[in-house]
Amino acid sequence: MFNNNENLSKNTNNPVPKRIASRQLPGVYIILCITNNKRYYGESTNVLARLSQHKSKLRRNIHEISELQRDWNLYGEEFFTFSPLFISRDCDKAKREALELEYIARHFDLCYNKLFKSSRKNENN
């Protein structure tokens, strides 16, 4: 479900290949436990960096989402996937939050997410 990023380098003088240039793009992502089909949706100004932060916290056993951490500890890293769902240079905060909420609402019974705004730790969620 990646957004087509072919136009990223067409009209720019960016010498960095598309696959690398897209690494710092904003968007929406999923962390999926393939054992129980539970998922965590998030949005960020830099999706791949944010996914790396989640993975690092889970590996160090300090993730703020206790249920996600519990399943990580129970099933192991090999049973989790970390994937961008939508990335785009033009994806502003409002659009990212709307997409994130749409995914959460669609799969609420399978989500680690809580819909309460106060449960978000910071802007990088």
Side-chain angles (χ1 to χ4, degrees):
M1 279 194 211
F2 282 71
N3 186 33
N4 187 348
N5 290 318
E6 285 183 355
N7 294 327
L8 286 177
S9 59
K10 274 188 177 177
N11 297 326
T12 66
N13 293 325
N14 186 352
V16 181
K18 293 186 290 197
R19 68 183 191 284
I20 296 173
S22 66
R23 291 179 185 224
Q24 296 181 5
L25 290 177
V28 178
Y29 61 87
I30 183 174
I31 301 170
L32 176 68
C33 177
I34 57 176
T35 302
N36 61 16
N37 204 27
K38 290 202 70 167
R39 67 270 322 266
Y40 178 84
Y41 294 103
E43 61 84 24
S44 177
T45 56
N46 185 334
V47 169
L48 294 182
R50 183 64 178 134
L51 285 170
S52 291
Q53 290 171 354
H54 280 290
K55 190 179 282 189
S56 175
K57 285 183 174 186
L58 288 163
R59 286 175 173 161
R60 292 181 290 146
N61 200 29
I62 61 169
H63 201 280
E64 58 271 7
I65 309 297
S66 59
E67 189 179 0
L68 175 60
Q69 185 69 63
R70 185 196 70 220
D71 286 351
W72 174 273
N73 294 344
L74 180 64
Y75 301 120
E77 182 173 346
E78 63 274 14
F79 292 97
F80 284 81
T81 62
F82 296 75
S83 307
L85 293 173
F86 177 85
I87 55 175
S88 172
R89 180 172 285 146
D90 302 323
C91 194
D92 65 17
K93 179 86 169 156
K95 183 174 183 178
R96 293 190 317 266
E97 286 182 346
L99 284 170
E100 177 190 31
L101 286 174
E102 182 180 329
Y103 283 116
I104 293 168
R106 244 191 256 166
H107 305 107
F108 184 72
D109 56 329
L110 296 171
C111 283
Y112 293 110
N113 300 74
K114 305 299 178 226
L115 285 177
F116 305 108
K117 192 71 170 171
S118 62
S119 71
R120 296 179 73 132
K121 292 286 185 186
N122 58 41
E123 298 265 334
N124 290 329
N125 199 18

